[in-house]
Amino acid sequence: MSLKGVFLRALEPTDIEVLLEIENNSSYWKYSNRTEPYSRDLLQKYINQQSQDIFEVKQKRFVITNSKLNALGFIDLFDFEPLHRRAGVGIILRKEYRGKGYGRTAIKLIGLHVKEYMNIHCLFANISFDNKESIEAFESCGYKQVGLKKAWNFYMDEFHDEYLYQKIFSLCTEEK
């Protein structure tokens, strides 16, 4: 599936270096609830397990790429609940690809994918109050702020709020 020269594809063994770069960047750990780096071996095993069905493991990572086949970043589905037809979505772009519209396009693509192939009714995103770029990207894609989790995450020696955003897909082809 592609849109505006941006594609989502499965995670491949050749993505290990980009995965290590992003997952082991400690400045992102506050958003992913990490406190230590991943080993190469563990991330390689994670890549190898990506062939498992989302209905079994309740999560899936896609690589965001462009027409030059550069790995721009990742977009994840997590906490997939088929009974309730919902899933969480998270996105991370490499620094050099931010602010160019790739994130917004990837968010739109994942929405198209889950509607077409997974019968999803609702996608949600948990976004730190200070992550202005993510807030703008999700809002521009039709996500609405529906909640505020006060003092939800602890990092940099203090508690921080987190917003809950949702996008509800209607039963017809139009989005709400």
Side-chain angles (χ1 to χ4, degrees), residues 83-114:
L83 175 65
H84 302 295
R85 298 175 52 200
R86 68 175 177 244
V89 62
I91 185 169
I92 182 83
L93 288 174
R94 296 167 79 185
K95 280 194 178 198
E96 62 267 31
Y97 298 110
R98 294 181 187 167
K100 297 179 169 111
Y102 294 121
R104 286 175 171 83
T105 304
I107 293 167
K108 290 174 187 173
L109 278 171
I110 202 71
L112 293 170
H113 178 80
V114 301

Side-chain angles (χ1 to χ4, degrees), residues 12-138:
E12 298 173 352
T14 56
D15 296 315
I16 187 69
E17 295 305 323
V18 178
L19 196 58
L20 278 164
E21 168 195 326
I22 288 176
E23 292 292 351
N24 289 339
N25 184 331
S26 61
S27 67
Y28 303 143
W29 292 351
K30 63 185 176 185
Y31 301 124
S32 62
N33 299 320
R34 296 284 310 156
T35 58
E36 59 187 44
Y38 288 105
S39 70
R40 177 180 289 275
D41 183 58
L42 187 65
L43 289 178
Q44 197 65 58
K45 287 176 183 171
Y46 175 75
I47 290 172
N48 295 339
Q49 292 173 346
Q50 284 296 293
S51 62
Q52 293 178 297
D53 191 273
I54 191 170
F55 286 87
E56 293 175 35
V57 295
K58 309 296 184 210
Q59 64 179 356
K60 191 69 157 183
R61 174 166 286 185
F62 297 88
V63 178
I64 305 164
T65 187
N66 61 11
S67 58
K68 296 178 184 175
L69 303 179
N70 296 327
L72 312 177
F74 303 102
I75 192 162
D76 300 342
L77 295 174
F78 61 92
D79 291 347
F80 174 54
E81 291 289 342
L83 175 65
H84 302 295
R85 298 175 52 200
R86 68 175 177 244
V89 62
I91 185 169
I92 182 83
L93 288 174
R94 296 167 79 185
K95 280 194 178 198
E96 62 267 31
Y97 298 110
R98 294 181 187 167
K100 297 179 169 111
Y102 294 121
R104 286 175 171 83
T105 304
I107 293 167
K108 290 174 187 173
L109 278 171
I110 202 71
L112 293 170
H113 178 80
V114 301
K115 280 176 45 182
E116 185 170 340
Y117 298 108
M118 298 174 62
N119 198 27
I120 292 285
H121 172 69
C122 171
L123 284 177
F124 67 88
N126 301 306
I127 307 174
S128 178
F129 81 102
D130 62 350
N131 192 340
K132 304 298 183 215
E133 289 129 346
S134 283
I135 291 169
E136 290 173 10
F138 278 93

